[in-house]
Amino acid sequence: MDAKTPLRLLFIGNLLRICNPTTVINIGAIFQEGNPETEVAFRFAISRVNMYSGEYQLQPLIRRISGKDSFATGQTVCELVGKGVAAIFGPDTASTNEIIESVAKNLEIPQFQVFWNPKVEQFSAENEYKDNLIFNLFPDPHMLATAFATLLNEMKWKKYAVLYETDEGLIRLQEILKQHGPQDPSVIVRKLAAGSDHRPLLKEIKASSVYQIVLDCESDHIFDILEQAREVKLMEEYYSYILTSLDTHSIDLGRLKAAKSNITSLRLIDPNTTEIRMVAQDWELGQLSHNNQHITVPPESIRTNAALIYDALNLFITIFAELDVSQRIQVKPLNCQGSEISDHGLSMSAFIRIRPLTKGRMIGPLTGPLEFDNLGRRRVFALQIIERSPQHHRVVGVWSSKDAKSINYTISSKQIKQEIKTQVQMKTYRVKSRLQEPYLRIRKPVPGTILKGNNIFEGYVKDLLDGITEILNASYELSLVEDGYHGNYDPKKREWNGLIKEILERRADLAVCDLTITYERKKVVDFSMPFMTLGISILHSKARREPPALLSFMNPLSLDVWLYMATAYLGISIIIFLVARLAPGDWENPHPCNQEPKHLENVWGLKNCFWLTMGSIMNQGCDILPKGISTRMVTGMWWFFSLIITASYTANMAAFLTMERMGPTIESAEDLATQSKIRYGMMEKGATETFFKESNVSLYMRMWAQMQQDVPSPFERTNSDGVKRVRASKGLFAFLMESTSLEFERNRHCDLKEVGRWLDIKGYGIAMPVNSIYRTEVSGAVLKMQELGKLHELKEKWWKGKCEKESLETESAARLGLSNVGGVFVVLVGGMISALSVALLEFLWNVKKTAVQHHLTLREAFVMELKFAVNFKIREKVVHKSGGSGSESFS
């Protein structure tokens, strides 16, 4: 529509007014003092009707009321009906409506309301047999409350605060409060204090760590409240607001400097529609004014009441004109004290209920189709969802009363993902962590250099963050949590500690360390996909074997047994000697060829007896054996004794060596729980403690009860303290810890060992605030690092230690070392030395005998015998007989 169109319409309207007689219609309007906007819009709409409608001229009877004097209001409305009005428009607030509504119903005059009125349906119970004459163009209170509840549900708000200005606000928010379940986090509901200073209440909300706020107040108060919220740091990043006023779009929130919060609101008016822009242009050309002051109303600033009063007048004139064609409507003066009622009220109200208005005699309707139920409530309407943030100001969706439980979004998921990606790339993440090797530690600076920023740290977490931010094309600032805890909930204080507290209080965007994903933590923060999978395991020291004694081969038999064996050896040898001398069978013919020998000889001297018993116990036998019955009986019993002793020694030696090679005395959690010698504990205020504390498994419940009773306490401040305690306990303490940390410690302390299987399976994740927009991007970066093998490389880098693999240790444990059999070598060497000593003595004795026999000096005899002994080629020795004795000599 060009600028000349209104002028042409004005010319045509004046020409029709001259040619055709017009009908003057009185209409009453009651407005609140001090709120001129609705009245100005009403007056302008009247002028448009009178300008463009040739057959009807509206005569407005406008009255202003204070809103506090009901009696004066009653007199005012009675004065209006006394002049004869076809309809009553207003008031624009609920404070004086009841008296006006009562008069309109009693006199059957249609009334058009443009404010939020939850009491509309009450009149149906009072007038069940009467047709309704009250029409409220404002959205139905119940449907509007459903719209807010649907929005809250779509935004997945669970923990939030509700701030309301008047008690009627709770009715507006009733559907929001109804959908809050008993298992959901508590909702803070507070009424704004009277006056203009709301900072104390806002500071209370700030201290409660609630970051999602529903604000219900008059549109004129929104900016002041949000400005005070900005002053107390309630407009920072992560804070989100839902404003229930349908006029939020008309407020310039851009004046909130440095506000980083997201603000969501709903509006009934779409300033981008042709009708709104045409009316706004018409108002501009028509010089919309109040008290001789020109008013400029951009389409984006048109308030809901102004649009509704325009639509109400459009509805009235459209219905009146159509009804006047079939029946001539006569408007007559009425008396509040009389019994006479209007002739047109019921027919007009009935026609309004059956005739939805999609196009009227004027431009519009501006707020969408006008359709009412039998109670005069507007049940069909649509609301636009407006989102304001530092990045944009836009319509993100539309809620319709026809589909009250869902929202039709106007932004594609692809566009949302692209926007989130852009925000992620622009962000510098505040990251909190804790010192724990190998995840994070302080870097040792190179002499002459100063480390700053993130370079102060090194470890798995530092490399992980470098990889993630490289993929996201972002940056980060790494710092440590003050108390050093991962994050546990204290029921007494009703607060979290550690890294979880840092996230909840928004002092950090990410928390990265060996932070386990648990059910309790997931209720208050979000996690990325796990970057490491693990489970609870048992750390215990390896069996400490004392170095074997030099004569450890004697350990299978006690000292008493060895002494008894030696005594038996001597005794049996002597007994065989004596029995052999008594037994005739052991006296043998020295010359078998001579059948009638003169002498018999007995070979069982002490030397042969000792040799026989020695060979038997050594399982080696002997060249000569007894022949007498008695000697064989003695020998057989000794052989039986030797068999048992040798077998017992062999078996006990095997058992002894096996005991030396045995590992830990516990193999599982069941072993720990069923014994009392080895104590066990864990790190306090960690995920492992939570696992045992909340477990319903009887075994773990028993272990938890035992740990709580133990003195001294089995709980350690850190994993490192637990490892030190295990190493110092000499096998009397086991530490329950997560398998990844256990593997790291085991690779650096070769005296430690992992025992049994994992007690559970879980993962480490990156914590972030609930509903964080960058959760998907961070998880995607972790997944990409996993697919590229970067996570495996990082673990190999930081977990690799000096100790051998467990399999190699097990394989080497099956072999005997020199320390186990060293005593045998000592005995062997001792025997050899003894044999050589005896041989030397025999050699010297033979040298002496040879010197006497051959009349040689000892030196000559020694040299002669030594040369003969070292000449290894000689295999024979000449026998020399002495002259008189008949004895033999060797040379």
Side-chain angles (χ1 to χ4, degrees):
M1 188 174 82
D2 56 27
K4 296 181 179 180
T5 300
L7 299 178
R8 296 193 187 103
L9 294 175
L10 179 63
F11 174 76
I12 294 173
N14 291 333
L15 182 61
L16 292 173
R17 191 180 299 114
I18 295 173
C19 299
N20 299 318
T22 59
T23 300
V24 178
I25 307 172
N26 289 338
I27 56 175
I30 301 177
F31 299 109
Q32 190 83 21
E33 290 181 351
N35 187 17
E37 185 174 349
T38 306
E39 179 185 342
V40 171
F42 180 76
R43 287 182 179 276
F44 185 80
I46 292 290
S47 66
R48 297 304 95 178
V49 171
N50 293 340
M51 182 180 297
Y52 301 136
S53 178
E55 67 272 30
Y56 300 105
Q57 287 291 304
L58 299 180
Q59 180 64 41
L61 304 177
I62 299 176
R63 300 293 184 268
R64 303 180 186 89
I65 57 177
S66 64
K68 298 180 180 179
D69 191 345
S70 299
F71 180 75
T73 301
Q75 288 184 320
T76 300
V77 70
C78 287
E79 182 260 332
L80 284 177
V81 300
K83 294 185 178 182
V85 293
I88 299 175
F89 294 83
D92 48 359
T93 62
S95 57
T96 57
N97 177 66
E98 291 187 7
I99 185 66
I100 301 172
E101 196 173 71
S102 178
V103 171
K105 292 189 68 65
N106 289 334
L107 300 181
E108 295 186 356
I109 300 175
Q111 182 196 7
F112 297 94
Q113 302 172 357
V114 294
F115 62 91
W116 180 78
N117 184 12
K119 300 179 181 180
V120 172
E121 56 188 72
Q122 293 181 1
F123 299 109
S124 63
E126 300 171 359
N127 303 278
E128 292 182 1
Y129 58 91
K130 293 184 179 180
D131 292 323
N132 185 61
L133 294 106
I134 309 300
F135 299 95
N136 194 319
L137 278 72
F138 201 89
D140 172 64
H142 176 74
M143 297 302 297
L144 185 60
T146 302
F148 291 126
T150 302
L151 176 61
L152 205 74
N153 188 54
E154 288 285 331
M155 296 176 71
K156 299 180 180 179
W157 283 19
K158 294 298 182 182
K159 184 178 181 181
Y160 52 89
V162 174
L163 306 181
Y164 64 97
E165 191 172 30
T166 62
D167 293 339
E168 289 78 8
L170 289 178
I171 302 176
R172 246 189 314 271
L173 303 172
Q174 58 179 323
E175 294 301 321
I176 291 179
L177 300 177
K178 283 181 182 179
Q179 72 178 8
H180 183 264
Q183 302 300 325
D184 294 334
S186 58
V187 173
I188 299 175
V189 181
R190 296 288 186 274
K191 185 176 182 179
L192 294 169
S196 58
D197 187 8
H198 306 290
R199 293 176 182 85
L201 176 58
L202 295 174
K203 289 179 180 178
E204 179 185 343
I205 300 300
K206 173 72 174 178
S208 67
S209 298
V210 172
Y211 295 88
Q212 296 165 330
I213 302 171
V214 179
L215 177 60
D216 182 275
C217 65
E218 294 290 338
S219 59
D220 293 336
H221 301 159
I222 290 177
F223 180 83
D224 293 335
I225 295 174
L226 294 182
E227 177 63 23
Q228 294 178 27
R230 185 188 64 81
E231 294 174 4
V232 299
K233 308 297 183 183
L234 271 178
M235 293 293 289
E236 300 297 316
E237 190 177 11
Y238 295 112
Y239 284 95
S240 299
Y241 289 81
I242 291 180
L243 307 182
T244 62
S245 173
L246 299 184
D247 287 328
T248 305
H249 65 276
S250 64
I251 304 171
D252 182 14
L253 297 179
R255 293 179 293 163
L256 293 170
K257 298 179 180 179
K260 301 177 182 179
S261 301
N262 285 342
I263 301 176
T264 303
S265 61
L266 286 79
R267 69 184 181 192
L268 185 62
I269 303 170
D270 183 0
N272 297 317
T273 61
T274 304
E275 291 82 359
I276 291 290
R277 294 194 174 276
M278 289 176 65
V279 170
Q281 186 180 14
D282 201 9
W283 286 358
E284 178 71 20
L285 294 175
Q287 299 296 305
L288 184 63
S289 62
H290 177 70
N291 293 336
N292 298 322
Q293 293 183 357
H294 178 65
I295 300 175
T296 300
V297 184
E300 295 79 8
S301 299
I302 296 178
R303 294 206 171 194
T304 304
N305 280 10
L308 291 177
I309 200 69
Y310 176 93
D311 283 351
L313 195 60
N314 194 1
L315 172 65
F316 167 76
I317 191 61
T318 302
I319 297 298
F320 188 94
E322 293 181 2
L323 192 60
D324 191 45
V325 173
S326 58
Q327 63 180 54
R328 189 68 179 174
I329 298 178
Q330 296 292 331
V331 180
K332 58 184 180 181
L334 300 173
N335 188 347
C336 290
Q337 305 300 325
S339 60
E340 190 175 7
I341 59 176
S342 71
D343 298 329
H344 67 282
L346 293 179
S347 57
M348 179 173 285
S349 64
F351 196 29
I352 291 175
R353 287 196 300 272
I354 63 174
R355 198 263 195 214
L357 181 67
T358 57
K359 184 177 182 181
R361 294 174 66 89
M362 299 163 59
I363 300 172
L366 304 181
T367 59
L370 300 177
E371 185 175 347
F372 303 89
D373 62 9
N374 292 332
L375 301 180
R377 298 174 298 184
R378 183 175 181 179
R379 303 302 299 269
V380 179
F381 59 95
L383 300 173
Q384 288 186 334
I385 301 171
I386 312 300
E387 182 181 87
R388 289 178 173 84
S389 70
Q391 291 78 27
H392 45 245
H393 173 197
R394 62 187 178 181
V395 178
V396 297
V398 176
W399 177 92
S400 174
S401 59
K402 296 180 179 179
D403 186 11
K405 297 300 182 180
S406 64
I407 293 175
N408 181 25
Y409 289 97
T410 57
I411 300 178
S412 66
S413 58
K414 183 178 180 181
Q415 183 178 352
I416 294 176
K417 289 180 180 179
Q418 183 58 41
E419 290 177 354
I420 292 176
K421 185 176 181 180
T422 302
Q423 294 182 41
V424 167
Q425 292 178 347
M426 296 171 58
K427 188 172 181 61
T428 298
Y429 295 95
R430 297 169 299 165
V431 182
K432 289 286 185 177
S433 187
R434 60 188 292 274
L435 294 178
Q436 175 68 46
E437 289 196 68
Y439 302 99
L440 197 67
R441 67 188 181 194
I442 302 298
R443 185 194 299 270
K444 295 180 180 179
V446 178
T449 62
I450 300 177
L451 300 177
K452 296 181 179 179
N454 299 332
N455 292 327
I456 296 175
F457 306 101
E458 66 178 358
Y460 181 91
V461 166
K462 173 70 166 52
D463 292 348
L464 178 65
L465 288 170
D466 288 340
I468 291 175
T469 51
E470 181 180 358
I471 293 173
L472 298 180
N473 193 24
S475 58
Y476 69 95
E477 296 176 354
L478 181 60
S479 59
L480 300 177
V481 61
E482 292 182 0
D483 60 11
Y485 288 114
H486 292 86
N488 268 13
Y489 182 72
D490 188 341
K492 296 181 180 178
K493 297 181 180 179
R494 304 182 70 179
E495 65 179 18
W496 287 82
N497 62 6
L499 293 168
I500 301 299
K501 183 178 182 179
E502 296 292 312
I503 295 294
L504 292 177
E505 295 185 355
R506 300 305 190 267
R507 291 196 291 267
D509 302 313
L510 301 174
V512 190
C513 69
D514 51 335
L515 186 62
T516 308
I517 302 174
T518 64
Y519 173 73
E520 289 296 325
R521 289 171 180 168
K522 283 204 68 172
K523 290 196 295 186
V524 295
V525 299
D526 280 345
F527 281 94
S528 69
M529 70 162 290
F531 59 81
M532 191 177 293
T533 303
L534 62 142
I536 298 175
S537 192
I538 303 171
L539 180 71
H540 194 230
S541 57
K542 293 179 181 178
R544 294 192 176 186
R545 291 177 290 178
E546 298 295 333
L550 188 61
L551 302 179
S552 61
F553 66 90
M554 297 183 66
N555 291 338
L557 299 178
S558 67
L559 179 60
D560 293 344
V561 175
W562 285 111
L563 292 176
Y564 285 132
M565 284 180 60
T567 304
Y569 169 72
L570 294 173
I572 293 299
S573 299
I574 294 173
I575 290 174
I576 292 175
F577 170 73
L578 295 175
V579 171
R581 294 192 66 84
L582 295 175
D586 287 309
W587 290 92
E588 302 177 276
N589 183 2
H591 304 287
C593 295
N594 185 3
Q595 296 298 323
E596 296 180 357
K598 295 180 179 182
H599 303 283
L600 298 177
E601 67 177 11
N602 193 324
V603 298
W604 294 105
L606 286 176
K607 183 172 64 174
N608 285 343
C609 289
F610 279 108
W611 182 246
L612 172 65
T613 52
M614 178 64 68
S616 301
I617 202 169
M618 294 296 182
N619 291 332
Q620 298 301 316
C622 182
D623 292 338
I624 55 176
L625 294 173
K627 296 179 181 179
I629 296 176
S630 58
T631 52
R632 287 186 176 183
M633 290 178 62
V634 174
T635 303
M637 295 307 297
W638 173 249
W639 285 349
F640 177 76
F641 173 81
S642 301
L643 173 66
I644 299 301
I645 290 296
T646 303
S648 299
Y649 177 84
T650 304
N652 210 28
M653 174 63 83
F656 175 75
L657 295 176
T658 302
M659 288 296 295
E660 278 196 339
R661 294 195 299 269
M662 284 181 63
T665 56
I666 55 173
E667 295 294 339
S668 63
E670 289 81 357
D671 293 344
L672 272 181
T674 55
Q675 56 82 47
S676 58
K677 183 178 181 181
I678 301 176
R679 300 297 181 184
Y680 46 91
M682 63 188 68
M683 187 179 73
E684 63 180 359
K685 299 181 180 180
T688 303
E689 178 183 304
T690 303
F691 169 79
F692 278 90
K693 184 188 299 183
E694 299 180 356
S695 176
N696 293 322
V697 180
S698 59
L699 173 65
Y700 302 148
M701 293 172 65
R702 188 164 68 250
M703 293 177 67
W704 173 249
Q706 181 62 45
M707 284 186 281
Q708 288 184 305
Q709 296 173 3
D710 280 351
V711 177
S713 173
F715 300 101
E716 296 293 338
R717 178 69 174 75
T718 63
N719 282 334
S720 299
D721 294 338
V723 172
K724 292 177 182 178
R725 186 168 176 179
V726 170
R727 299 185 68 195
S729 67
K730 297 182 179 180
L732 297 180
F733 184 77
F735 195 67
L736 296 155
M737 62 190 300
E738 291 166 342
S739 58
T740 49
S741 300
L742 188 151
E743 181 183 353
F744 174 78
E745 298 293 346
R746 188 189 65 193
N747 288 344
R748 279 152 182 77
H749 304 291
C750 302
D751 57 341
L752 298 178
K753 187 180 182 72
E754 181 178 4
V755 176
R757 57 179 177 83
W758 291 357
L759 306 187
D760 68 342
I761 297 177
K762 52 195 172 186
Y764 289 153
I766 300 174
M768 61 196 76
V770 175
N771 297 328
S772 176
I773 62 172
Y774 42 83
R775 175 187 176 186
T776 303
E777 298 297 325
V778 172
S779 292
V782 173
L783 181 60
K784 186 172 182 179
M785 291 185 68
Q786 182 179 2
E787 291 176 347
L788 295 176
K790 296 294 183 65
L791 296 182
H792 178 72
E793 292 177 5
L794 290 182
K795 187 171 181 182
E796 287 293 318
K797 173 183 177 181
W798 292 103
W799 262 256
K800 187 176 181 180
K802 62 182 180 180
C803 298
E804 296 180 357
K805 299 290 185 181
E806 187 76 20
S807 58
L808 295 180
E809 293 178 354
T810 304
E811 181 182 352
S812 64
R815 303 168 182 168
L816 292 177
L818 181 61
S819 59
N820 299 101
V821 295
V824 180
F825 287 92
V826 171
V827 173
L828 178 62
V829 172
M832 297 302 102
I833 293 175
S834 299
L836 290 174
S837 300
V838 173
L840 180 60
L841 292 175
E842 288 180 333
F843 176 78
L844 294 176
W845 179 259
N846 185 55
V847 167
K848 181 180 179 181
K849 187 170 69 170
T850 301
V852 172
Q853 289 178 352
H854 295 278
H855 307 287
L856 299 174
T857 64
L858 289 176
R859 177 182 177 83
E860 291 173 343
F862 178 82
V863 172
M864 181 183 66
E865 291 294 332
L866 181 62
K867 286 181 178 181
F868 176 81
V870 299
N871 189 354
F872 302 114
K873 294 181 180 181
I874 298 176
R875 290 294 185 181
E876 296 179 352
K877 192 172 184 179
V878 180
V879 178
H880 297 280
K881 294 184 178 181
S882 59
S885 63
S887 62
E888 298 177 339
S889 65
F890 302 90
S891 60

